Amino acid sequence: MDSHTITHLKELESESIYVLREVAAQFERPCILFSGGKDSIVVTHLAYKAFFPAKIPFPLVHIDTGHNFKETIDYRDELVKKLGADLIVGSVQESIDTGRVKEETGYYASRNKLQTTTLLDTIDKYKFDAAIGGARRDEEKSRAKERFFSHRDEFGQWNPKNQRPELWNIFNGRKNMGEHFRVFPISNWTEMDVWQYILLEKIPMPSLYFTHEREVFQRDGQWLAASPVIKRKPDEVVVKKQVRCRTIGDITCTGLTLSKAHTVEDIIEEIAASRVTERGGRADDKRSETAMEDRKKAGYF
């Protein structure tokens, strides 16, 4: 890695750590939204560096759909133990059982959208006034509209036309009772930045990100994991392929990529040659032209 790249990554790191320290200064009950994906892992690593030698002053909040990859849960539990961090789990299954949300049915059923209610209920239960996430502006067009400090109203909803100016890195965290903020410390990072930083910092990653053999089937041009939680059509045949995850979410909507990337260096080379965005393999983004923005307006991450 050349000196220019290292300087660039250190500048991004410095900006993100500044944002995290601003959160600690301006809010009373922040939390980190932890999905087990690379971006939330990097945010957690940055928080560790920002407040070292003290432990991370925010709990990690994981919204568990009940349909997560086992590797994601194993990684989460190991990381929490390693950091001595506090973990709060919001359960989508519990939201279903109590009638807060209704389980989808059919071939395209997913619990991904149901996470919104569970997330907002968890934020309300623990009175969090800031939820720190790993969203980046380069991921998806609606996320490009976000600020570092993204205001949510008393219903947890986001209005893209009501964003506060952020001049000279001055962040406005003022809010009314019942409102909260979503905070995105790595907004200015790209997918390439994230992986180069993971390489630079030697951050351990879930095995899902590296090539492994898995039973999969093809649907609408995407490879999906063969799992009991996905109802397959009669003509969808299960085969074994060498695949990896480029982005990790609920099993039902996480597309898998045919790959030979066994190391972080391999992943960086693969991304550099790719002409498909990382969320190009997320089935939940394809439900409509404005799928992500609609979910965000309703209170989604």
Side-chain angles (χ1 to χ4, degrees):
M1 193 177 299
D2 60 45
S3 59
H4 175 76
T5 300
I6 294 174
T7 299
H8 171 68
L9 294 175
K10 288 299 181 182
E11 288 174 350
L12 289 173
E13 177 190 68
S14 178
E15 178 183 61
S16 299
I17 286 175
Y18 171 77
V19 172
L20 287 164
R21 289 172 177 167
E22 278 293 299
V23 172
Q26 294 195 38
F27 297 99
E28 294 182 6
R29 293 184 63 81
C31 67
I32 294 176
L33 299 179
F34 186 83
S35 68
K38 67 183 183 309
D39 299 314
S40 65
I41 291 170
V42 166
V43 168
T44 302
H45 179 80
L46 289 163
Y48 169 77
K49 295 190 74 171
F51 301 102
F52 184 83
K55 78 171 193 176
I56 298 173
F58 324 122
L60 305 186
V61 173
H62 180 220
I63 304 304
D64 184 1
T65 66
H67 292 170
N68 293 292
F69 289 97
K70 180 181 182 298
E71 294 93 330
T72 301
I73 302 301
D74 290 345
Y75 181 93
R76 178 200 71 186
D77 293 343
E78 184 178 340
L79 181 65
V80 166
K81 182 178 179 181
K82 176 183 176 182
L83 297 178
D86 297 322
L87 174 66
I88 294 171
V89 178
S91 169
V92 173
Q93 184 63 57
E94 184 177 323
S95 297
I96 295 170
D97 294 342
T98 56
R100 291 286 293 143
V101 295
K102 183 179 180 180
E103 181 96 73
E104 293 183 359
T105 59
Y107 293 119
Y108 292 90
S110 173
R111 290 185 174 182
N112 198 55
K113 186 177 179 180
L114 307 186
Q115 293 180 88
T116 298
T117 298
T118 308
L119 171 59
L120 294 177
D121 286 350
T122 303
I123 288 173
D124 181 65
K125 178 180 178 180
Y126 293 94
K127 306 303 178 188
F128 293 125
D129 53 2
I132 305 163
R136 308 186 323 270
R137 294 190 181 114
D138 78 316
E139 285 183 277
E140 198 272 341
K141 55 190 175 186
S142 70
R143 288 185 169 176
K145 300 176 183 179
E146 292 278 20
R147 301 288 195 268
F148 281 102
F149 278 30
S150 184
H151 176 265
R152 297 299 198 270
D153 65 19
E154 65 270 27
F155 302 106
Q157 296 177 332
W158 172 68
N159 182 355
K161 297 180 180 179
N162 188 28
Q163 294 282 290
R164 299 175 179 181
E166 292 179 342
L167 306 175
W168 307 291
N169 285 338
I170 297 175
F171 303 120
N172 181 357
R174 294 183 180 179
K175 60 180 181 57
N176 297 317
M177 183 67 69
E179 298 174 345
H180 72 278
F181 278 79
R182 305 290 170 86
V183 180
F184 305 112
I186 62 171
S187 287
N188 287 337
W189 297 46
T190 66
E191 182 186 14
M192 181 64 81
D193 292 331
V194 168
W195 280 109
Q196 288 181 329
Y197 185 75
I198 289 167
L199 177 62
L200 180 66
E201 294 287 300
K202 297 180 175 61
I203 303 173
M205 298 301 292
S207 59
L208 287 167
Y209 279 114
F210 304 99
T211 297
H212 57 285
E213 186 175 78
R214 184 178 292 272
E215 290 189 337
V216 297
F217 66 96
Q218 197 165 48
R219 173 180 292 174
D220 300 332
Q222 294 180 320
W223 291 105
L224 294 174
S227 167
V229 303
I230 305 179
K231 182 179 180 180
R232 294 195 303 277
K233 300 175 184 179
D235 61 343
E236 291 175 335
V237 180
V238 174
V239 295
K240 288 186 177 181
K241 293 285 184 179
Q242 294 291 317
V243 296
R244 74 176 190 88
C245 291
R246 195 169 165 189
T247 176
I248 296 176
D250 189 281
I251 289 176
T252 60
C253 60
T254 300
L256 300 167
T257 302
L258 300 178
S259 174
K260 296 180 180 179
H262 295 280
T263 66
V264 174
E265 291 90 341
D266 291 341
I267 291 173
I268 290 171
E269 288 185 18
E270 190 174 88
I271 293 170
S274 177
R275 293 299 176 263
V276 178
T277 65
E278 63 185 297
R279 291 193 70 93
R282 288 292 290 268
D284 50 327
D285 288 353
K286 300 179 185 298
R287 291 195 167 194
S288 75
E289 182 68 23
T290 59
M292 172 64 83
E293 183 155 334
D294 292 341
R295 295 201 304 276
K296 286 173 68 64
K297 287 179 179 178
Y300 181 75
F301 171 62

